[in-house]
Amino acid sequence: MNEYSDAGSIVRASIMAQIKAEQSNAVLQKTVTAGEDVSKRHAKASTYNLFVPIKGDRSLVYNTLTGAFAVWNAQDMEIYKSIETQKRSVTDPELSDFISGGYMVSNKTDEVLELESRYMAARNDPATMIMTVAPIMACNFACDYCFQGADKPHEKMPQFVQDALLDYLDRKLPELNLLHIAWYGGEPLMGLSTIETLTEKIVALCKKHNTRYSAFIVTNGYFFDGKTAEKLYSLGVTSCQVTFDGAAETHDQRRMLLSGRPTYMRIADNLAEAVERTPIQVSLRVNIDHHNKDNIIDLIDDLHKRGFSNRNNLGMYFAPVESITEACHNCNDISMGKQEYASMEAELYRYAFEKGLTGLPRPPVMHGNCAAVRKNGLVLLPNGELHKCWDTVNDTTMKIGTIFEPEKSLDSPIHNEWMQWSPFMNETCRTCKILPNCTGACAYKFIYTDKTLGEGGSLPCPSWKFNINERLLIRAEKRGIISANDILDVSRTTTEEVGRNHTDSGLFTTKSAVAAG
């Protein structure tokens, strides 16, 4: 199996490759002119420094662009502030650590421009394709908050659609170094036979064109037992996402079968088999809203008791339930506000880490550079429709074209809208200190503001915007860089520190107040 496990890893690898290329080719020094004496350049503070005050007149300092992470004492801060009142050369030995960490940059450096260049290079990577394929849109669950709605088509992907996909890939693969398939639904394991058939033929095409192949699956876990996991792993699936909505009692009230029967115990038993019998990386997503927020600790405790802790191939993460499409507007009343959710999330990560169920919080790299905004990012439905984003699959009017004429989809107005969107065109995003981590987070929320509802659904700022300090403190504490006693009340994330968010920018209307009126 190759090193890539999911779409997020593909994007991060593309970005990191671009960064390495920049460094090796000195792209970041492109403003140096022939014969220029670099020593005459003076240092200025990076735009992307975050300062978290801690006890002892110290600060935990993180640069969101470079990822540099350190504790500064009063002397360090004095050196850092000295460049506000005097011009100090970038070659000054006393500044070398600040320069190498990215905390200081040359006065001629435009960090926003460099970030945008890096972002666009990864986004427009012509050699990588991330294709989401739904073999079936039917689902055996009856989750009331499902963004796809309850009325799902039941037909599996017919042969003529499969053939059209294979024909397209046969034309496309010569351009690619990597093809990543994300199996999706509905519940994709209800179409396992289609996954098997397609995988065999897609892998053969990849070998024909010398293209690497990897795969990922989003499943509710009901059919994901040890035998099925072994089959998927043999088909190149190296990672999967499975969702819990709390411990058994709460989960079974929200993620029940269409018949109303419970699912928690079967999913937990299946996962125990899957992680024992295969190296598939299992990512446990935990959906949270007002109805189940008090039950998440019980879930963590139960998974710990079941022996899921400290496994190399299993980890959990948390996600807010959001009213992101018209099909799930009914969940708006139970969705949590951004700040409330973020505060809770930080503590859940602390507890889950202590129970061995998640790694230390690590700020993402260009989280918003998802497959939807990439030219080679497509979503294929069983009926042959092509979309850009998972969140549009329930609305045929939002398709960009069909697999029968895939090249024409690149000229559709909807495709162009996705490709023209950029967080660098938005002033709130452009001036945000966590832009290197977030890069807009969710393009869908910018493009389809009329489809979302409420603060959680409408406002694009991720929870990192509201709890990055808290997450960094957890990381520093658990790595032994600081102690719990070093954390102060003023260490909390503030708008003044990270920059204003879309909650108060006036650029988005949550519509919840309008709906109430």
Side-chain angles (χ1 to χ4, degrees):
M1 297 297 167
N2 65 60
E3 68 271 32
Y4 298 110
S5 59
D6 58 27
S9 297
I10 305 294
V11 172
R12 285 191 292 275
S14 177
I15 293 166
M16 294 312 295
Q18 172 65 18
I19 292 172
K20 289 178 181 178
E22 289 172 352
Q23 292 170 338
S24 63
N25 295 319
V27 173
L28 297 185
Q29 302 299 324
K30 58 183 175 293
T31 54
V32 178
T33 57
E36 180 182 357
D37 184 355
V38 177
S39 66
K40 292 183 178 179
R41 290 187 172 197
H42 61 266
K44 68 175 182 178
S46 168
T47 301
Y48 298 114
N49 293 330
L50 293 180
F51 296 88
V52 186
I54 57 175
K55 189 177 292 184
D57 197 22
R58 296 175 300 155
S59 292
L60 186 65
V61 189
Y62 173 69
N63 185 277
T64 62
L65 184 60
T66 66
F69 188 47
V71 173
W72 290 8
N73 57 28
Q75 183 180 2
D76 296 322
M77 191 63 73
E78 183 178 348
I79 296 171
Y80 176 76
K81 289 185 176 181
S82 70
I83 62 174
E84 296 176 2
T85 57
Q86 55 184 295
K87 289 185 177 181
R88 301 187 64 175
S89 171
V90 292
T91 60
D92 186 331
E94 193 174 39
L95 304 184
S96 61
D97 288 343
F98 297 90
I99 297 289
S100 63
Y103 299 116
M104 295 180 186
V105 296
S106 162
N107 64 301
K108 292 191 177 182
T109 297
D110 186 332
E111 289 180 288
V112 177
L113 183 62
E114 288 181 355
L115 174 61
E116 183 175 12
S117 175
R118 189 178 291 177
Y119 166 82
M120 294 306 297
R123 178 171 162 174
N124 294 325
D125 176 11
T128 299
M129 168 167 269
I130 301 172
M131 176 172 262
T132 298
V133 179
I136 190 171
M137 291 305 296
C139 186
N140 56 327
F141 277 25
C143 310
D144 61 1
Y145 58 77
C146 180
F147 70 88
Q148 296 178 10
D151 186 18
K152 300 180 178 70
H154 288 76
E155 297 78 12
K156 292 182 181 180
M157 183 179 289
Q159 190 61 50
F160 69 92
V161 175
Q162 296 180 45
D163 291 341
L165 168 61
L166 295 169
D167 287 344
Y168 169 63
L169 290 177
D170 200 17
R171 298 193 303 273
K172 185 70 177 176
L173 286 173
E175 306 171 13
L176 304 177
N177 292 329
L178 173 67
L179 171 67
H180 179 78
I181 297 291
W183 300 108
Y184 188 62
E187 172 46 50
L189 290 181
M190 292 176 66
L192 180 57
S193 61
T194 303
I195 294 175
E196 292 183 70
T197 302
L198 276 175
T199 297
E200 179 181 347
K201 295 176 180 178
I202 292 173
V203 169
L205 286 174
C206 285
K207 289 180 179 179
K208 171 184 173 182
H209 296 292
N210 196 29
T211 303
R212 289 174 294 162
Y213 174 82
S214 66
F216 160 76
I217 190 168
V218 178
T219 171
N220 58 36
Y222 196 77
F223 302 115
F224 187 64
D225 57 16
K227 182 178 179 180
T228 302
E230 288 176 333
K231 168 59 70 175
L232 289 170
Y233 187 67
S234 74
L235 295 171
V237 175
T238 55
S239 61
C240 74
Q241 176 184 289
V242 178
T243 299
F244 280 121
D245 274 15
E249 181 180 0
T250 299
H251 173 96
D252 288 335
Q253 294 173 359
R254 298 157 58 91
R255 297 183 63 82
M256 72 291 286
L257 293 174
L258 291 170
S259 65
R261 294 174 61 188
T263 62
Y264 182 90
M265 293 296 291
R266 175 159 170 169
I267 297 171
D269 290 343
N270 283 347
L271 288 174
E273 292 183 8
V275 298
E276 283 291 341
R277 293 167 61 170
T278 76
I280 290 178
Q281 295 291 320
V282 178
S283 180
L284 297 180
R285 176 187 173 108
V286 182
N287 291 326
I288 302 176
D289 56 34
H290 281 300
H291 280 181
N292 73 335
K293 64 182 183 181
D294 295 328
N295 189 245
I296 308 304
I297 294 296
D298 292 339
L299 168 66
I300 295 171
D301 287 341
D302 186 60
L303 295 177
H304 175 68
K305 290 176 184 177
R306 289 174 178 271
F308 288 113
S309 299
N310 301 310
R311 289 185 171 271
N312 292 329
N313 62 334
L314 183 142
M316 71 191 316
Y317 77 98
F318 309 100
V321 172
E322 297 179 338
S323 185
I324 198 168
T325 70
E326 292 174 336
C328 63
H329 279 186
N330 63 307
C331 75
N332 182 54
D333 290 342
I334 62 172
S335 297
M336 300 177 71
K338 292 284 187 176
Q339 184 63 65
E340 179 187 14
Y341 170 78
S343 297
M344 178 182 182
E345 182 189 57
E347 290 308 309
L348 287 175
Y349 272 113
R350 175 185 291 276
Y351 190 74
F353 174 78
E354 291 170 351
K355 292 294 184 178
L357 288 165
T358 190
L360 288 173
R362 178 186 296 275
V365 178
M366 299 189 197
H367 177 69
N369 197 345
C370 72
V373 299
R374 296 164 72 95
K375 183 177 180 179
N376 282 339
L378 294 171
V379 180
L380 173 64
L381 303 191
N383 63 2
E385 285 185 6
L386 289 174
H387 289 246
K388 288 298 290 177
C389 176
W390 295 3
D391 292 334
T392 70
V393 298
N394 64 308
D395 189 342
T396 189
T397 66
M398 298 163 79
K399 70 176 184 290
I400 62 170
T402 72
I403 194 63
F404 312 113
E405 297 180 303
E407 287 80 8
K408 284 188 176 181
S409 68
L410 302 182
D411 296 323
S412 75
I414 294 176
H415 178 270
N416 291 338
E417 192 170 13
W418 281 98
M419 298 311 297
Q420 290 166 7
W421 174 84
S422 168
F424 294 89
M425 297 168 62
N426 183 286
E427 189 62 20
T428 298
C429 292
R430 194 176 179 86
T431 58
C432 178
K433 285 192 176 183
I434 70 163
L435 179 60
N437 307 130
C438 171
T439 53
C442 180
Y444 175 94
K445 291 184 177 183
F446 288 86
I447 297 171
Y448 293 111
T449 56
D450 60 321
K451 304 291 185 182
T452 60
L453 185 67
E455 183 181 276
S458 300
L459 302 173
C461 295
S463 59
W464 278 97
K465 181 79 172 188
F466 304 88
N467 65 18
I468 190 167
N469 284 14
E470 288 79 356
R471 294 209 210 186
L472 292 173
L473 287 164
I474 294 170
R475 187 171 184 82
E477 178 190 338
K478 297 305 180 181
R479 288 176 61 187
I481 298 173
I482 65 172
S483 71
N485 292 331
D486 289 323
I487 300 174
L488 307 171
D489 287 341
V490 292
S491 301
R492 294 191 298 269
T493 306
T494 64
T495 300
E496 290 75 19
E497 175 65 15
V498 298
R500 71 174 184 170
N501 56 67
H502 286 292
T503 305
D504 55 21
S505 71
L507 299 175
F508 287 78
T509 303
T510 64
K511 296 190 288 293
S512 55
V514 176

